[in-house]
Structure formats: C-alpha cells, structure tokens
Amino acid sequence: MSEHIEAVANELRKARSIAVLTGSGVSAESGIPTFRDALTGLWSKFRPEELATVAAFERDPKMVWEWYEWRRDKVRNAQPNPAHHALASLQDRYKQFTLITQNVDGLHQQAGSRDVIELHGNIMRSKCIAENIVRDDFDAAGTPPRCPACGAHMRPDVVWFGESLPEDALRKSTKAAHDCEVFMSIGTSALVYPAAELPYIASAQGRLVIEINLEPTPLSISAHYSLFGKAGEILPQLIRAAFDL
Ligand code: OAD
C-alpha cells in the first residue's frame, strides 16, 4: 500500500489538471450514512426506488418528505471530515481543479471547496414540484410544505431515480473528465450512471485514473491505481506525501 501511496503522490505532484468525483463514502466518516446504508433501521423495509422517485412522492408525499427530513437532520449535525478538508486544500495547487460530487450534503463547500459541481442536487434546498423553482420562503411546518406561490407540494432539490441530471453540471463534469490529466474517483460504488461513466471518459482519453474506496468496485479493474481504505485517512496521507506537508 505505501508504495502505491508514493506512486500516486508522485502523479499528484506532477499533474497540472485534476478532476475528482466523490460519492457518499466521502461523507461516511462525518456520520452521514451512504445512500445504501441510509436505508437501515426505521427505513430498512424500503428500497431506494420506493423513496427517491417522483412516483413515490406522488403516492405518499408525507412519507418521502419525512425520509428526507431524517436525512437532512443528519446533515445539519454533520461536520466535514479530513477527506473533505484534504480535497479543499488541493484546489489552489492546480491550474485546473474540478470537484464533482454525487453527494447532496454540501460538506465539500463547508470544508471550503469552491465551484463544486453537484450532480445530484442538494438536500437542503427545496423546489416546487409544479414550477420546478427553488424557493426558501415556504412554511416549513407542512409535511411536505406547500409552495407559497402556487400551493403545490415542495420537494427536495435532488435528482431522483429516473430523472435527468442538471444539464450544465453534467456537461461541465464530462468536459473536466475529458480534459484532466488525472481523474480520481473517491468513495463511490461506481454503479449509478451517468456519474459512473466519468472515470471511463477520462480513461478513454488516456488519463490516469485513481480510485479510493473501502473495497473493490466495478471501476477497480480499469483504474490505474486503487487505494483501499478510508478516504479520510488515505487522502491526507497522499497530500502529505505529495507536497511534503
Ligand atoms: P453508495 O452508497 O452506492 O456507495 C458508497 C461507496 O463508498 C461504497 O463503494 C463504499 O465501499 C464506499 N465507502 C464507504 N465508506 C467509505 C470511506 N470511509 N472511505 C472510502 N470509501 C467509502 O454511494 P454513491 O456511490 O455515492 O443517487 O451512490 C451514488 C448515487 O447512488 C447516489 O448519489 C444516489 C444513489 O442512487 C441519487 O440519489 C440520484
């Protein structure tokens, strides 16, 4: 492992342009359950498709809103961990640094990362289901609250199964994966498309692909380096080794 850390640190030192894709594994050490682990305890009898879809919301808006309220509560009580801080500290070391996240918790921004591309939205924002407009002037007491303008339900501003990703975010991410020298995929199961496609876009251009995860994923056979362990431990080690910190 340590010679892999040295080799990856060397690549990070040489590169001028980096794109990073993060998934819920990066927030796990902040106490936010990963997407699949979030369906435990109270919610273990549900499958993601039963909670994170338009059909689910239309069928039972109260239940879906309550599930998001439970997740928002975890986010409100969470702090960025060493993985978020390590990534924030990288941004000024490169000519081009693009941080793309599938996370909806805003912890990268809390750690100081700028211009984060949120592929799946943000759980703390809500939008009107009829007008598709993000608002913060609604009466939060409702379950779910109503849009003050048109009376339709408010819903979390996140991407649900079967919905398209925000066009601009996807276009920028694809370009970053295509143009970078080094692509890092961190704490994601690399299963959910189109985000899971990004490392392959980089690899098809001959870019160096590095993965950090607790365990092997479908990307592991294609990645040049797979570092297995906690993102909150491996990222700070890498940065110390790369930049003599
Ligand atoms: P998953 O829950 O699918 O995967 C989390 C990954 O993080 C797993 O591969 C774990 O092994 C890894 N992991 C857990 N703890 C870790 C740690 N401390 N350090 C490093 N890795 C760790 O979450 P995502 O890949 O983010 O989409 O899921 C992607 C998307 O699937 C989510 O954004 C969500 C879901 O469907 C939407 O809601 C549209």
Side-chain angles (χ1 to χ4, degrees), residues 146-162:
R146 297 273 178 183
C147 170
C150 77
H153 280 139
M154 297 299 290
R155 57 162 279 185
D157 185 21
V158 296
V159 175
W160 280 336
F161 288 100

Side-chain angles (χ1 to χ4, degrees), residues 21-30 32-38 48-49 52 67-68 71 81 83 101-104 119-121 158-163 165 185-193 195-196 211-218 227-234:
L21 171 68
T22 65
S24 56
V26 163
S27 292
E29 291 161 69
S30 293
I32 298 178
T34 61
F35 196 78
R36 275 143 251 283
D37 290 346
E49 310 84 69
W67 185 57
Y68 278 96
R71 292 180 62 202
N81 67 56
T101 189
Q102 298 166 88
N103 298 344
V104 294
L119 280 180
H120 292 165
V158 296
V159 175
W160 280 336
F161 288 100
E163 293 188 309
L165 270 61
S185 174
I186 310 176
T188 171
S189 56
L191 286 173
V192 179
Y193 281 77
E211 172 182 56
I212 301 175
N213 200 298
L214 282 183
E215 57 190 27
T217 73
L227 304 176
F228 296 121
K230 290 183 175 178
E233 292 173 6
I234 293 182

Side-chain angles (χ1 to χ4, degrees), residues 46-243:
F46 298 102
R47 287 175 296 132
E49 310 84 69
E50 290 176 274
L51 289 164
T53 64
V54 174
F57 190 73
E58 282 170 352
R59 196 165 49 239
D60 196 339
K62 181 169 181 291
M63 181 185 75
V64 173
W65 186 264
E66 279 172 350
W67 185 57
Y68 278 96
E69 205 33 60
W70 177 78
R71 292 180 62 202
R72 274 192 285 263
D73 216 50
K74 299 237 176 250
V75 171
R76 281 187 203 104
N77 291 314
Q79 298 296 325
N81 67 56
H84 298 105
H85 290 298
L87 288 170
S89 79
L90 276 184
Q91 66 196 345
D92 293 324
R93 294 189 175 270
Y94 294 97
K95 200 155 166 259
Q96 190 66 45
F97 180 85
T98 310
L99 181 53
I100 307 157
T101 189
Q102 298 166 88
N103 298 344
V104 294
D105 53 37
L107 287 180
H108 284 303
Q109 292 91 326
Q110 257 194 61
S113 285
R114 300 182 301 271
D115 304 323
V116 180
I117 300 179
E118 291 181 320
L119 280 180
H120 292 165
N122 190 306
I123 200 174
M124 304 313 276
R125 286 194 305 261
S126 301
K127 63 184 183 182
C128 167
I129 197 158
E131 299 161 313
N132 210 29
I133 297 172
V134 173
R135 312 186 67 105
D136 56 12
D137 57 346
F138 55 87
D139 178 358
T143 316
R146 297 273 178 183
C147 170
C150 77
H153 280 139
M154 297 299 290
R155 57 162 279 185
D157 185 21
V158 296
V159 175
W160 280 336
F161 288 100
E163 293 188 309
S164 307
L165 270 61
E167 222 171 273
D168 193 44
L170 188 57
R171 189 180 46 73
K172 284 186 184 149
S173 307
T174 307
K175 185 170 174 1
H178 188 279
D179 294 350
C180 66
E181 283 172 36
V182 173
F183 188 96
M184 299 178 86
S185 174
I186 310 176
T188 171
S189 56
L191 286 173
V192 179
Y193 281 77
E197 181 90 48
L198 294 169
Y200 296 100
I201 293 175
S203 142
Q205 293 306 312
R207 315 309 185 201
L208 189 85
V209 176
I210 297 161
E211 172 182 56
I212 301 175
N213 200 298
L214 282 183
E215 57 190 27
T217 73
L219 177 65
S220 305
I221 43 166
S222 312
H224 296 93
Y225 294 98
S226 287
L227 304 176
F228 296 121
K230 290 183 175 178
E233 292 173 6
I234 293 182
L235 275 167
Q237 277 179 42
L238 271 179
I239 288 174
R240 271 197 302 275
F243 302 107

